[in-house]
Amino acid sequence: MSGTPAAYAAVDLGASSGRVMVGRVGPGTLELSEAHRFPNRPVRLPEGLRWDILALYAGVLDGLRAAGQVDSVGIDSWAVDHGLLDADGMLLGNPVHYRDSRTEGVAEKLWATLPPEELYAATGLQYAPFNTLYQLLAARSTRQYASAARLLLLPDLLTHWLTGTEGTELTNASTTQLIDPRTRDWAHGVAERAGVDLGLFAPLRQPGDPAGLLRPEVLEETGLTGPVPVTTVASHDTASAVVAVPAGNERFAYICTGTWSLAGLELTAPVLTEDSRAANFTNELGVDGTVRYLRNIMGLWLLQECVRAWGDPDLGALLRGAAAVPGLRSVIDAGDPAFLAPGRMPERIAAACRETGQPVPGTPAETTRCILDSLALAHRRAVQDAQRLAGHPVDVVHIVGGGTRNTLLCQLTADACGLPVVAGPTEAAALGNVLVQARAHGKAGDLADMRRLLARTQAPTRYTPQGDTARWRAAEARYGRTPRATPAGPVRTSQEQHHAGHLRRPADPGHSRPPGRGRRSP
């Protein structure tokens, strides 16, 4: 590794905002600064909910202009969503938002010919109604789909506009439900039985692969001096966030917190058992041959929607009020798909408490405490279930992403899991993006070296578990310990990738970043 620090632009897109960060990497140096932040405002059209992809691209160009001269550019975003291009490379309409209702009932039709047990055994992906596979089946009868010659996942679409090249990055491709996690290649049998033409997809790319150079028009627009390479990173934001877990040799679980909570383990092989499917764990691919074995939990979306409904209260005061509310008074299932859609979240949480015979939260502080207790409980269940299903015990839980700013949630997670929690870095997805670029350009070592650099240069906070976990076990019994399965088989929880996120204001509730990813974070 050469000694002069280099600068890398990390384009980090979440479901409610995007930003361009600049990372500087050298021997013993890892610095990150924000160049530009811009909103991501989906638009509800007569035909449904759509992403404003042109506004996102304009934000990326503005961010690159603000970043100044850099040695490389990398892009990560949420998962599953995509754009369709015609034979001339023209985009066929705005990409559909994963929360759009077009996939309702689609999975059940597929299971009639491709049972969920077989689908999981082949792809290892948890059931979520918006997985790319179901989106494609929902679109199959449309003129847009009939005209499509190419499908590009959103980070690959933006890379295509920046460089003119086409590719499908592997960690994000693994969320489509069309990748075999054992071979790390397309699941040809699944595609054939589902009637999906894999020829729509561009060739697979690995994190670290070159993705072309910024086009002359982009250089002119941004004021950069070429050549400037674009480097393929772990373009699923959660995959980038997991790169930035500052773990050493300890056995660890991770939780990428934001609009979604992605909780699980880093493994060397997928877990494809029926028990794993029934528990709704997913096997998504990470860097360097790793598997992200995790469960998707609704995450801070619950609080974001409540804050929006309450009219932007002071978040600090709200969390202080929640800390004063007795713990575990009422809990909800943070994986219940009843909470997936936006709108009227405080009323829906109250109804869930009422239906389960628990005290109904009467104030914003009580509702907030209910949400945070419920998220900590969901984190506990996910960490415990992952260890059991994978035969992989852990000694510590690393929390990364925007939720690390929520000290009450971090402490409650330590209490619920009965394990120490190490919280940080907050900007995990952007840091993972930067580090993969740096390694590709000779400025960082392997995954272990990258994590050692993170541990030396970032300042995580450690939380020690307090109290007896017996009260958390009792709370679990109120609505059942594991996510419930539908009669057809798959589990009724949700996924994204979100991405690490954090509450700032109702218009941008997820980003310091959002989801889930938030993470996330699909």
Side-chain angles (χ1 to χ4, degrees), residues 88-120:
D88 295 323
M90 302 290 289
L91 183 66
L92 294 165
N94 284 307
V96 179
H97 194 294
Y98 66 88
R99 293 189 194 272
D100 186 81
S101 62
R102 67 174 177 166
T103 57
E104 291 179 2
V106 170
E108 288 82 355
K109 294 178 182 178
L110 176 63
W111 300 334
T113 57
L114 182 52
E117 298 84 358
E118 295 181 30
L119 188 57
Y120 189 86

PDB file of all heavy atoms in Angstrom, residues 88-120:
ATOM      1  N   ASP A  88     -32.006   0.793 -27.110  1.00  0.00           N
ATOM      2  CA  ASP A  88     -31.132   1.939 -27.326  1.00  0.00           C
ATOM      3  C   ASP A  88     -30.526   2.459 -26.024  1.00  0.00           C
ATOM      4  O   ASP A  88     -29.854   3.495 -26.023  1.00  0.00           O
ATOM      5  CB  ASP A  88     -31.911   3.065 -28.009  1.00  0.00           C
ATOM      6  CG  ASP A  88     -32.368   2.685 -29.412  1.00  0.00           C
ATOM      7  OD1 ASP A  88     -31.605   1.981 -30.114  1.00  0.00           O
ATOM      8  OD2 ASP A  88     -33.478   3.089 -29.787  1.00  0.00           O
ATOM      9  N   GLY A  89     -30.788   1.775 -24.910  1.00  0.00           N
ATOM     10  CA  GLY A  89     -30.263   2.206 -23.630  1.00  0.00           C
ATOM     11  C   GLY A  89     -31.059   3.303 -22.968  1.00  0.00           C
ATOM     12  O   GLY A  89     -30.597   3.916 -22.000  1.00  0.00           O
ATOM     13  N   MET A  90     -32.269   3.555 -23.449  1.00  0.00           N
ATOM     14  CA  MET A  90     -33.118   4.589 -22.871  1.00  0.00           C
ATOM     15  C   MET A  90     -33.936   4.013 -21.721  1.00  0.00           C
ATOM     16  O   MET A  90     -34.484   2.915 -21.821  1.00  0.00           O
ATOM     17  CB  MET A  90     -34.054   5.158 -23.932  1.00  0.00           C
ATOM     18  CG  MET A  90     -33.338   5.750 -25.135  1.00  0.00           C
ATOM     19  SD  MET A  90     -32.461   7.273 -24.738  1.00  0.00           S
ATOM     20  CE  MET A  90     -33.841   8.390 -24.492  1.00  0.00           C
ATOM     21  N   LEU A  91     -34.057   4.773 -20.631  1.00  0.00           N
ATOM     22  CA  LEU A  91     -34.812   4.328 -19.466  1.00  0.00           C
ATOM     23  C   LEU A  91     -36.293   4.329 -19.781  1.00  0.00           C
ATOM     24  O   LEU A  91     -36.852   5.320 -20.286  1.00  0.00           O
ATOM     25  CB  LEU A  91     -34.521   5.249 -18.276  1.00  0.00           C
ATOM     26  CG  LEU A  91     -35.193   4.874 -16.958  1.00  0.00           C
ATOM     27  CD1 LEU A  91     -34.646   3.557 -16.434  1.00  0.00           C
ATOM     28  CD2 LEU A  91     -34.975   5.986 -15.924  1.00  0.00           C
ATOM     29  N   LEU A  92     -36.956   3.231 -19.470  1.00  0.00           N
ATOM     30  CA  LEU A  92     -38.381   3.066 -19.745  1.00  0.00           C
ATOM     31  C   LEU A  92     -39.202   3.444 -18.513  1.00  0.00           C
ATOM     32  O   LEU A  92     -39.812   2.612 -17.851  1.00  0.00           O
ATOM     33  CB  LEU A  92     -38.670   1.615 -20.157  1.00  0.00           C
ATOM     34  CG  LEU A  92     -38.054   1.181 -21.490  1.00  0.00           C
ATOM     35  CD1 LEU A  92     -38.096  -0.341 -21.621  1.00  0.00           C
ATOM     36  CD2 LEU A  92     -38.776   1.843 -22.650  1.00  0.00           C
ATOM     37  N   GLY A  93     -39.195   4.710 -18.172  1.00  0.00           N
ATOM     38  CA  GLY A  93     -40.011   5.172 -17.055  1.00  0.00           C
ATOM     39  C   GLY A  93     -39.259   5.173 -15.742  1.00  0.00           C
ATOM     40  O   GLY A  93     -38.204   4.551 -15.587  1.00  0.00           O
ATOM     41  N   ASN A  94     -39.810   5.884 -14.768  1.00  0.00           N
ATOM     42  CA  ASN A  94     -39.199   5.959 -13.440  1.00  0.00           C
ATOM     43  C   ASN A  94     -39.277   4.608 -12.739  1.00  0.00           C
ATOM     44  O   ASN A  94     -40.312   3.922 -12.807  1.00  0.00           O
ATOM     45  CB  ASN A  94     -39.898   7.009 -12.586  1.00  0.00           C
ATOM     46  CG  ASN A  94     -39.500   8.417 -12.963  1.00  0.00           C
ATOM     47  OD1 ASN A  94     -38.319   8.742 -13.014  1.00  0.00           O
ATOM     48  ND2 ASN A  94     -40.486   9.261 -13.246  1.00  0.00           N
ATOM     49  N   PRO A  95     -38.207   4.176 -12.062  1.00  0.00           N
ATOM     50  CA  PRO A  95     -38.238   2.905 -11.341  1.00  0.00           C
ATOM     51  C   PRO A  95     -39.355   2.862 -10.305  1.00  0.00           C
ATOM     52  O   PRO A  95     -39.667   3.851  -9.646  1.00  0.00           O
ATOM     53  CB  PRO A  95     -36.855   2.844 -10.678  1.00  0.00           C
ATOM     54  CG  PRO A  95     -35.988   3.706 -11.538  1.00  0.00           C
ATOM     55  CD  PRO A  95     -36.877   4.819 -12.001  1.00  0.00           C
ATOM     56  N   VAL A  96     -39.941   1.686 -10.147  1.00  0.00           N
ATOM     57  CA  VAL A  96     -41.035   1.495  -9.196  1.00  0.00           C
ATOM     58  C   VAL A  96     -40.466   1.390  -7.779  1.00  0.00           C
ATOM     59  O   VAL A  96     -39.456   0.729  -7.539  1.00  0.00           O
ATOM     60  CB  VAL A  96     -41.845   0.232  -9.552  1.00  0.00           C
ATOM     61  CG1 VAL A  96     -42.978   0.020  -8.556  1.00  0.00           C
ATOM     62  CG2 VAL A  96     -42.400   0.348 -10.975  1.00  0.00           C
ATOM     63  N   HIS A  97     -41.124   2.024  -6.842  1.00  0.00           N
ATOM     64  CA  HIS A  97     -40.741   2.000  -5.426  1.00  0.00           C
ATOM     65  C   HIS A  97     -41.112   0.647  -4.822  1.00  0.00           C
ATOM     66  O   HIS A  97     -42.184   0.102  -5.102  1.00  0.00           O
ATOM     67  CB  HIS A  97     -41.493   3.125  -4.706  1.00  0.00           C
ATOM     68  CG  HIS A  97     -40.990   3.450  -3.338  1.00  0.00           C
ATOM     69  ND1 HIS A  97     -41.071   2.569  -2.276  1.00  0.00           N
ATOM     70  CD2 HIS A  97     -40.414   4.581  -2.847  1.00  0.00           C
ATOM     71  CE1 HIS A  97     -40.566   3.149  -1.201  1.00  0.00           C
ATOM     72  NE2 HIS A  97     -40.158   4.363  -1.506  1.00  0.00           N
ATOM     73  N   TYR A  98     -40.249   0.126  -3.970  1.00  0.00           N
ATOM     74  CA  TYR A  98     -40.511  -1.194  -3.388  1.00  0.00           C
ATOM     75  C   TYR A  98     -41.756  -1.223  -2.513  1.00  0.00           C
ATOM     76  O   TYR A  98     -42.309  -2.295  -2.261  1.00  0.00           O
ATOM     77  CB  TYR A  98     -39.298  -1.689  -2.591  1.00  0.00           C
ATOM     78  CG  TYR A  98     -38.968  -0.883  -1.360  1.00  0.00           C
ATOM     79  CD1 TYR A  98     -39.545  -1.170  -0.130  1.00  0.00           C
ATOM     80  CD2 TYR A  98     -38.063   0.171  -1.422  1.00  0.00           C
ATOM     81  CE1 TYR A  98     -39.247  -0.428   1.000  1.00  0.00           C
ATOM     82  CE2 TYR A  98     -37.757   0.924  -0.303  1.00  0.00           C
ATOM     83  CZ  TYR A  98     -38.347   0.621   0.902  1.00  0.00           C
ATOM     84  OH  TYR A  98     -38.048   1.369   2.023  1.00  0.00           O
ATOM     85  N   ARG A  99     -42.219  -0.065  -2.044  1.00  0.00           N
ATOM     86  CA  ARG A  99     -43.448  -0.028  -1.246  1.00  0.00           C
ATOM     87  C   ARG A  99     -44.704   0.062  -2.122  1.00  0.00           C
ATOM     88  O   ARG A  99     -45.813   0.126  -1.585  1.00  0.00           O
ATOM     89  CB  ARG A  99     -43.413   1.124  -0.243  1.00  0.00           C
ATOM     90  CG  ARG A  99     -42.366   0.948   0.854  1.00  0.00           C
ATOM     91  CD  ARG A  99     -42.517   1.996   1.952  1.00  0.00           C
ATOM     92  NE  ARG A  99     -41.348   2.043   2.812  1.00  0.00           N
ATOM     93  CZ  ARG A  99     -41.182   1.287   3.901  1.00  0.00           C
ATOM     94  NH1 ARG A  99     -42.121   0.420   4.236  1.00  0.00           N
ATOM     95  NH2 ARG A  99     -40.090   1.393   4.632  1.00  0.00           N
ATOM     96  N   ASP A 100     -44.552   0.077  -3.428  1.00  0.00           N
ATOM     97  CA  ASP A 100     -45.714   0.073  -4.311  1.00  0.00           C
ATOM     98  C   ASP A 100     -46.478  -1.241  -4.139  1.00  0.00           C
ATOM     99  O   ASP A 100     -45.895  -2.288  -3.844  1.00  0.00           O
ATOM    100  CB  ASP A 100     -45.255   0.235  -5.760  1.00  0.00           C
ATOM    101  CG  ASP A 100     -46.419   0.385  -6.726  1.00  0.00           C
ATOM    102  OD1 ASP A 100     -46.943   1.494  -6.837  1.00  0.00           O
ATOM    103  OD2 ASP A 100     -46.792  -0.628  -7.353  1.00  0.00           O
ATOM    104  N   SER A 101     -47.779  -1.186  -4.384  1.00  0.00           N
ATOM    105  CA  SER A 101     -48.634  -2.341  -4.097  1.00  0.00           C
ATOM    106  C   SER A 101     -48.702  -3.361  -5.232  1.00  0.00           C
ATOM    107  O   SER A 101     -49.433  -4.347  -5.118  1.00  0.00           O
ATOM    108  CB  SER A 101     -50.055  -1.855  -3.781  1.00  0.00           C
ATOM    109  OG  SER A 101     -50.606  -1.180  -4.907  1.00  0.00           O
ATOM    110  N   ARG A 102     -47.931  -3.170  -6.289  1.00  0.00           N
ATOM    111  CA  ARG A 102     -48.130  -4.030  -7.460  1.00  0.00           C
ATOM    112  C   ARG A 102     -47.785  -5.491  -7.221  1.00  0.00           C
ATOM    113  O   ARG A 102     -48.220  -6.367  -7.974  1.00  0.00           O
ATOM    114  CB  ARG A 102     -47.306  -3.515  -8.645  1.00  0.00           C
ATOM    115  CG  ARG A 102     -45.787  -3.633  -8.455  1.00  0.00           C
ATOM    116  CD  ARG A 102     -45.055  -3.246  -9.715  1.00  0.00           C
ATOM    117  NE  ARG A 102     -43.608  -3.298  -9.525  1.00  0.00           N
ATOM    118  CZ  ARG A 102     -42.734  -3.278 -10.517  1.00  0.00           C
ATOM    119  NH1 ARG A 102     -43.151  -3.224 -11.767  1.00  0.00           N
ATOM    120  NH2 ARG A 102     -41.444  -3.320 -10.264  1.00  0.00           N
ATOM    121  N   THR A 103     -47.004  -5.796  -6.180  1.00  0.00           N
ATOM    122  CA  THR A 103     -46.602  -7.185  -5.949  1.00  0.00           C
ATOM    123  C   THR A 103     -47.547  -7.933  -5.010  1.00  0.00           C
ATOM    124  O   THR A 103     -47.282  -9.099  -4.685  1.00  0.00           O
ATOM    125  CB  THR A 103     -45.177  -7.243  -5.365  1.00  0.00           C
ATOM    126  OG1 THR A 103     -45.130  -6.468  -4.155  1.00  0.00           O
ATOM    127  CG2 THR A 103     -44.161  -6.707  -6.342  1.00  0.00           C
ATOM    128  N   GLU A 104     -48.631  -7.292  -4.598  1.00  0.00           N
ATOM    129  CA  GLU A 104     -49.554  -7.986  -3.702  1.00  0.00           C
ATOM    130  C   GLU A 104     -50.120  -9.239  -4.379  1.00  0.00           C
ATOM    131  O   GLU A 104     -50.646  -9.177  -5.488  1.00  0.00           O
ATOM    132  CB  GLU A 104     -50.696  -7.052  -3.301  1.00  0.00           C
ATOM    133  CG  GLU A 104     -50.259  -5.913  -2.382  1.00  0.00           C
ATOM    134  CD  GLU A 104     -51.395  -4.981  -2.024  1.00  0.00           C
ATOM    135  OE1 GLU A 104     -52.528  -5.248  -2.468  1.00  0.00           O
ATOM    136  OE2 GLU A 104     -51.148  -3.989  -1.316  1.00  0.00           O
ATOM    137  N   GLY A 105     -49.996 -10.366  -3.721  1.00  0.00           N
ATOM    138  CA  GLY A 105     -50.515 -11.625  -4.239  1.00  0.00           C
ATOM    139  C   GLY A 105     -49.649 -12.305  -5.271  1.00  0.00           C
ATOM    140  O   GLY A 105     -49.941 -13.442  -5.685  1.00  0.00           O
ATOM    141  N   VAL A 106     -48.545 -11.675  -5.692  1.00  0.00           N
ATOM    142  CA  VAL A 106     -47.708 -12.263  -6.745  1.00  0.00           C
ATOM    143  C   VAL A 106     -46.971 -13.494  -6.230  1.00  0.00           C
ATOM    144  O   VAL A 106     -46.864 -14.514  -6.924  1.00  0.00           O
ATOM    145  CB  VAL A 106     -46.714 -11.211  -7.279  1.00  0.00           C
ATOM    146  CG1 VAL A 106     -45.673 -11.854  -8.203  1.00  0.00           C
ATOM    147  CG2 VAL A 106     -47.454 -10.110  -8.011  1.00  0.00           C
ATOM    148  N   ALA A 107     -46.438 -13.417  -5.019  1.00  0.00           N
ATOM    149  CA  ALA A 107     -45.669 -14.539  -4.487  1.00  0.00           C
ATOM    150  C   ALA A 107     -46.503 -15.814  -4.428  1.00  0.00           C
ATOM    151  O   ALA A 107     -46.035 -16.900  -4.796  1.00  0.00           O
ATOM    152  CB  ALA A 107     -45.134 -14.189  -3.103  1.00  0.00           C
ATOM    153  N   GLU A 108     -47.744 -15.677  -3.979  1.00  0.00           N
ATOM    154  CA  GLU A 108     -48.596 -16.860  -3.847  1.00  0.00           C
ATOM    155  C   GLU A 108     -48.813 -17.547  -5.193  1.00  0.00           C
ATOM    156  O   GLU A 108     -48.878 -18.781  -5.272  1.00  0.00           O
ATOM    157  CB  GLU A 108     -49.943 -16.459  -3.244  1.00  0.00           C
ATOM    158  CG  GLU A 108     -49.875 -16.095  -1.760  1.00  0.00           C
ATOM    159  CD  GLU A 108     -49.423 -14.671  -1.504  1.00  0.00           C
ATOM    160  OE1 GLU A 108     -49.055 -13.966  -2.483  1.00  0.00           O
ATOM    161  OE2 GLU A 108     -49.420 -14.251  -0.338  1.00  0.00           O
ATOM    162  N   LYS A 109     -48.896 -16.781  -6.262  1.00  0.00           N
ATOM    163  CA  LYS A 109     -49.054 -17.376  -7.588  1.00  0.00           C
ATOM    164  C   LYS A 109     -47.798 -18.150  -7.992  1.00  0.00           C
ATOM    165  O   LYS A 109     -47.882 -19.239  -8.574  1.00  0.00           O
ATOM    166  CB  LYS A 109     -49.361 -16.291  -8.614  1.00  0.00           C
ATOM    167  CG  LYS A 109     -50.703 -15.603  -8.402  1.00  0.00           C
ATOM    168  CD  LYS A 109     -50.928 -14.500  -9.427  1.00  0.00           C
ATOM    169  CE  LYS A 109     -52.246 -13.784  -9.193  1.00  0.00           C
ATOM    170  NZ  LYS A 109     -52.463 -12.660 -10.155  1.00  0.00           N
ATOM    171  N   LEU A 110     -46.631 -17.601  -7.680  1.00  0.00           N
ATOM    172  CA  LEU A 110     -45.390 -18.305  -8.009  1.00  0.00           C
ATOM    173  C   LEU A 110     -45.257 -19.587  -7.205  1.00  0.00           C
ATOM    174  O   LEU A 110     -44.824 -20.612  -7.728  1.00  0.00           O
ATOM    175  CB  LEU A 110     -44.192 -17.395  -7.745  1.00  0.00           C
ATOM    176  CG  LEU A 110     -42.811 -18.038  -7.957  1.00  0.00           C
ATOM    177  CD1 LEU A 110     -42.627 -18.453  -9.413  1.00  0.00           C
ATOM    178  CD2 LEU A 110     -41.702 -17.093  -7.522  1.00  0.00           C
ATOM    179  N   TRP A 111     -45.656 -19.553  -5.920  1.00  0.00           N
ATOM    180  CA  TRP A 111     -45.489 -20.736  -5.071  1.00  0.00           C
ATOM    181  C   TRP A 111     -46.307 -21.923  -5.575  1.00  0.00           C
ATOM    182  O   TRP A 111     -46.009 -23.074  -5.248  1.00  0.00           O
ATOM    183  CB  TRP A 111     -45.892 -20.418  -3.635  1.00  0.00           C
ATOM    184  CG  TRP A 111     -45.076 -19.327  -3.019  1.00  0.00           C
ATOM    185  CD1 TRP A 111     -43.807 -18.959  -3.353  1.00  0.00           C
ATOM    186  CD2 TRP A 111     -45.487 -18.431  -1.980  1.00  0.00           C
ATOM    187  NE1 TRP A 111     -43.396 -17.889  -2.594  1.00  0.00           N
ATOM    188  CE2 TRP A 111     -44.398 -17.556  -1.744  1.00  0.00           C
ATOM    189  CE3 TRP A 111     -46.650 -18.290  -1.234  1.00  0.00           C
ATOM    190  CZ2 TRP A 111     -44.453 -16.549  -0.780  1.00  0.00           C
ATOM    191  CZ3 TRP A 111     -46.709 -17.296  -0.271  1.00  0.00           C
ATOM    192  CH2 TRP A 111     -45.621 -16.432  -0.051  1.00  0.00           C
ATOM    193  N   ALA A 112     -47.329 -21.654  -6.385  1.00  0.00           N
ATOM    194  CA  ALA A 112     -48.120 -22.761  -6.925  1.00  0.00           C
ATOM    195  C   ALA A 112     -47.291 -23.646  -7.842  1.00  0.00           C
ATOM    196  O   ALA A 112     -47.560 -24.845  -7.970  1.00  0.00           O
ATOM    197  CB  ALA A 112     -49.333 -22.214  -7.685  1.00  0.00           C
ATOM    198  N   THR A 113     -46.273 -23.081  -8.473  1.00  0.00           N
ATOM    199  CA  THR A 113     -45.415 -23.864  -9.368  1.00  0.00           C
ATOM    200  C   THR A 113     -43.993 -24.002  -8.838  1.00  0.00           C
ATOM    201  O   THR A 113     -43.272 -24.913  -9.234  1.00  0.00           O
ATOM    202  CB  THR A 113     -45.365 -23.210 -10.758  1.00  0.00           C
ATOM    203  OG1 THR A 113     -44.910 -21.851 -10.621  1.00  0.00           O
ATOM    204  CG2 THR A 113     -46.736 -23.213 -11.405  1.00  0.00           C
ATOM    205  N   LEU A 114     -43.607 -23.097  -7.951  1.00  0.00           N
ATOM    206  CA  LEU A 114     -42.274 -23.146  -7.352  1.00  0.00           C
ATOM    207  C   LEU A 114     -42.449 -22.959  -5.850  1.00  0.00           C
ATOM    208  O   LEU A 114     -42.456 -21.837  -5.340  1.00  0.00           O
ATOM    209  CB  LEU A 114     -41.381 -22.052  -7.939  1.00  0.00           C
ATOM    210  CG  LEU A 114     -39.925 -21.977  -7.464  1.00  0.00           C
ATOM    211  CD1 LEU A 114     -39.217 -23.315  -7.583  1.00  0.00           C
ATOM    212  CD2 LEU A 114     -39.176 -20.904  -8.238  1.00  0.00           C
ATOM    213  N   PRO A 115     -42.645 -24.054  -5.113  1.00  0.00           N
ATOM    214  CA  PRO A 115     -42.967 -23.955  -3.684  1.00  0.00           C
ATOM    215  C   PRO A 115     -41.921 -23.153  -2.919  1.00  0.00           C
ATOM    216  O   PRO A 115     -40.727 -23.162  -3.277  1.00  0.00           O
ATOM    217  CB  PRO A 115     -42.989 -25.420  -3.229  1.00  0.00           C
ATOM    218  CG  PRO A 115     -43.293 -26.197  -4.471  1.00  0.00           C
ATOM    219  CD  PRO A 115     -42.612 -25.452  -5.585  1.00  0.00           C
ATOM    220  N   PRO A 116     -42.350 -22.453  -1.883  1.00  0.00           N
ATOM    221  CA  PRO A 116     -41.419 -21.596  -1.137  1.00  0.00           C
ATOM    222  C   PRO A 116     -40.238 -22.357  -0.545  1.00  0.00           C
ATOM    223  O   PRO A 116     -39.149 -21.805  -0.439  1.00  0.00           O
ATOM    224  CB  PRO A 116     -42.299 -20.977  -0.052  1.00  0.00           C
ATOM    225  CG  PRO A 116     -43.525 -21.830   0.016  1.00  0.00           C
ATOM    226  CD  PRO A 116     -43.725 -22.364  -1.353  1.00  0.00           C
ATOM    227  N   GLU A 117     -40.465 -23.618  -0.165  1.00  0.00           N
ATOM    228  CA  GLU A 117     -39.358 -24.406   0.378  1.00  0.00           C
ATOM    229  C   GLU A 117     -38.258 -24.601  -0.673  1.00  0.00           C
ATOM    230  O   GLU A 117     -37.064 -24.499  -0.376  1.00  0.00           O
ATOM    231  CB  GLU A 117     -39.863 -25.767   0.863  1.00  0.00           C
ATOM    232  CG  GLU A 117     -40.890 -25.701   1.986  1.00  0.00           C
ATOM    233  CD  GLU A 117     -42.305 -25.478   1.492  1.00  0.00           C
ATOM    234  OE1 GLU A 117     -42.501 -25.331   0.257  1.00  0.00           O
ATOM    235  OE2 GLU A 117     -43.234 -25.450   2.338  1.00  0.00           O
ATOM    236  N   GLU A 118     -38.663 -24.871  -1.911  1.00  0.00           N
ATOM    237  CA  GLU A 118     -37.689 -25.063  -2.986  1.00  0.00           C
ATOM    238  C   GLU A 118     -37.018 -23.742  -3.362  1.00  0.00           C
ATOM    239  O   GLU A 118     -35.819 -23.705  -3.664  1.00  0.00           O
ATOM    240  CB  GLU A 118     -38.374 -25.676  -4.202  1.00  0.00           C
ATOM    241  CG  GLU A 118     -38.909 -27.076  -3.977  1.00  0.00           C
ATOM    242  CD  GLU A 118     -39.551 -27.655  -5.222  1.00  0.00           C
ATOM    243  OE1 GLU A 118     -39.113 -27.288  -6.346  1.00  0.00           O
ATOM    244  OE2 GLU A 118     -40.501 -28.449  -5.093  1.00  0.00           O
ATOM    245  N   LEU A 119     -37.785 -22.675  -3.337  1.00  0.00           N
ATOM    246  CA  LEU A 119     -37.233 -21.362  -3.661  1.00  0.00           C
ATOM    247  C   LEU A 119     -36.165 -20.960  -2.650  1.00  0.00           C
ATOM    248  O   LEU A 119     -35.092 -20.463  -3.022  1.00  0.00           O
ATOM    249  CB  LEU A 119     -38.365 -20.337  -3.683  1.00  0.00           C
ATOM    250  CG  LEU A 119     -38.050 -18.931  -4.188  1.00  0.00           C
ATOM    251  CD1 LEU A 119     -37.487 -18.964  -5.599  1.00  0.00           C
ATOM    252  CD2 LEU A 119     -39.306 -18.059  -4.132  1.00  0.00           C
ATOM    253  N   TYR A 120     -36.429 -21.214  -1.372  1.00  0.00           N
ATOM    254  CA  TYR A 120     -35.448 -20.878  -0.340  1.00  0.00           C
ATOM    255  C   TYR A 120     -34.213 -21.760  -0.442  1.00  0.00           C
ATOM    256  O   TYR A 120     -33.078 -21.285  -0.316  1.00  0.00           O
ATOM    257  CB  TYR A 120     -36.070 -21.012   1.047  1.00  0.00           C
ATOM    258  CG  TYR A 120     -35.186 -20.475   2.158  1.00  0.00           C
ATOM    259  CD1 TYR A 120     -35.212 -19.127   2.494  1.00  0.00           C
ATOM    260  CD2 TYR A 120     -34.329 -21.310   2.871  1.00  0.00           C
ATOM    261  CE1 TYR A 120     -34.409 -18.618   3.505  1.00  0.00           C
ATOM    262  CE2 TYR A 120     -33.523 -20.813   3.881  1.00  0.00           C
ATOM    263  CZ  TYR A 120     -33.566 -19.469   4.197  1.00  0.00           C
ATOM    264  OH  TYR A 120     -32.754 -18.975   5.204  1.00  0.00           O
TER     265      TYR A 120
END
